[in-house]
Amino acid sequence: MTPAPTGKPKVLVIMGSVRAGRHCPALAAWVAGIGQAETGLDFELVDLAAWPLPMDDEPNIPATGLYMQPHTRKWSEKIAEADAFVFVSPQYNWGYPAVLKNAIDHCHREWHGKPLLIVTYGGHGGDKCAAQLRQVAEGLDMRLVPTMPALPLARGMILGAAITPDTDFREQIPQVRQGCRELAAMAPAP
Amino acid sequence: MTPAPTGKPKVLVIMGSVRAGRHCPALAAWVAGIGQAETGLDFELVDLAAWPLPMDDEPNIPATGLYMQPHTRKWSEKIAEADAFVFVSPQYNWGYPAVLKNAIDHCHREWHGKPLLIVTYGGHGGDKCAAQLRQVAEGLDMRLVPTMPALPLARGMILGAAITPDTDFREQIPQVRQGCRELAAMAPAP
């Protein structure tokens, strides 16, 4: 999923969960595949499990851009080089997962002005998580895609049963396509 | 601040920030002092920096109560033994800090039915963080104190200038007192 430089806008698909047994990699890859086919933009998966960012390990507030830790600088560069974002995230206790908020809060200006598509999943699709993430993204001056695809998980899926996105979320495919098209329309021209 | 068992309701004052240079310990101690004087309940400070809880390190969802890690079990016992809570938290990017959400999400039933006072701080007092935390607490069936003290930080304080709560937040003292009285009224009888 990491394409060579193409001159096309780069979309990072950031996974909101690092839990063992998570559905996030399957769902994020599925969303990225739809986005790639629908828009032709470069979609790249970002697994936060591969980005250890200790919580609040920086002495300065991120708005200053003065990062002391090598991992923060690397993360900052990763976000700065991207043109648009998709968050694919579970809902935890009517809110967003700590690991996603931690990754967001490690940067500041790197997010400004960039388009964001939010895709959530949960017992009721994760709409409360999406609304809270939307407020955070507004605080960071991101440009929000109007469509917010929400994938409802059956009880068995929540407890760990495997997911086949193309069949389990067939009804949501048009919404994901629509969100990706809106994202591409908002992304900067190549 | 860790009192011997007294038969009085135990209130844990949980700090929402672990950042170097944070104002949270000073503010949490100030809130706990006001609460102790106002209500006579046992207020105990909880510094999440002393509670390393790796993000999403448990294979099962917390609602099952099946914890595999010793640190999760210890945290679960800590929350289970408390009668009421105060969250003292900064607002980060119009939301709550990852470290606080991570500590919340590591448990589930341990929070149910218990009263919670939310005290926030930030450039505008942190009211957006308070509202999001309120939604999370509702998702966990906690009983929310109506008063939500919000402490506005001056620009210099945000950048690290020292805080003297009794003078800097003199105007908010009645609100903190009121919140603590409401918390005590909602806490179970000794």
Side-chain angles (χ1 to χ4, degrees), chain B residues 109-166:
Chain B
R109 287 187 192 281
E110 297 86 338
W111 302 108
H112 286 191
K114 294 181 181 172
L116 169 66
L117 167 65
I118 296 170
V119 181
T120 54
Y121 57 100
H124 296 88
D127 59 311
K128 289 184 169 70
C129 168
Q132 289 199 352
L133 279 176
R134 216 169 162 82
Q135 179 166 281
V136 169
E138 281 170 16
L140 285 164
D141 285 330
M142 299 184 81
R143 293 184 294 130
L144 284 153
V145 165
T147 298
M148 291 187 288
L151 311 173
L153 299 192
R155 181 77 188 149
M157 295 175 187
I158 293 173
L159 293 174
I163 281 179
T164 311
D166 262 334

Side-chain angles (χ1 to χ4, degrees), chain B residues 67-155:
Chain B
Y67 306 129
M68 307 303 283
Q69 309 291 346
H71 50 254
T72 310
R73 288 182 192 150
K74 209 174 149 199
W75 178 244
S76 163
E77 283 165 23
K78 185 77 181 167
I79 302 307
E81 76 176 18
D83 300 296
F85 301 93
V86 183
F87 293 166
V88 178
S89 179
Q91 176 170 304
Y92 288 171
N93 294 320
W94 294 13
Y96 38 78
V99 70
L100 180 56
K101 185 59 159 42
N102 181 54
I104 295 170
D105 287 344
H106 262 76
C107 297
H108 194 80
R109 287 187 192 281
E110 297 86 338
W111 302 108
H112 286 191
K114 294 181 181 172
L116 169 66
L117 167 65
I118 296 170
V119 181
T120 54
Y121 57 100
H124 296 88
D127 59 311
K128 289 184 169 70
C129 168
Q132 289 199 352
L133 279 176
R134 216 169 162 82
Q135 179 166 281
V136 169
E138 281 170 16
L140 285 164
D141 285 330
M142 299 184 81
R143 293 184 294 130
L144 284 153
V145 165
T147 298
M148 291 187 288
L151 311 173
L153 299 192
R155 181 77 188 149

Side-chain angles (χ1 to χ4, degrees), chain B residues 2 6 13 15 30 38 40 45 51 53 57 65 90 115 135 138 175 177 188 190:
Chain B
T2 308
T6 57
V13 181
M15 303 182 202
W30 177 69
E38 196 71 20
L45 294 176
W51 286 90
L53 297 162
D57 56 332
Q135 179 166 281
E138 281 170 16
Q175 216 189 0
R177 281 193 183 133

Side-chain angles (χ1 to χ4, degrees), chain A residues 14-59:
Chain A
I14 300 178
M15 303 181 200
S17 169
V18 294
R19 196 163 61 85
R22 63 199 165 139
H23 295 300
C24 210
L27 293 173
W30 176 69
V31 170
I34 292 174
Q36 192 91 48
E38 196 71 21
T39 70
L41 270 49
D42 278 336
F43 282 70
E44 178 186 333
L45 295 176
V46 175
D47 185 350
L48 293 177
W51 287 90
L53 296 162
M55 288 184 287
D56 296 338
D57 56 332
E58 290 283 344

Side-chain angles (χ1 to χ4, degrees), chain A residues 92-94 96 101 105 132, chain B residues 92-93 96 101 105 132:
Chain A
Y92 289 170
N93 294 321
W94 294 13
Y96 37 79
K101 185 58 161 40
D105 287 343
Q132 289 199 351
Chain B
Y92 288 171
N93 294 320
Y96 38 78
K101 185 59 159 42
D105 287 344
Q132 289 199 352

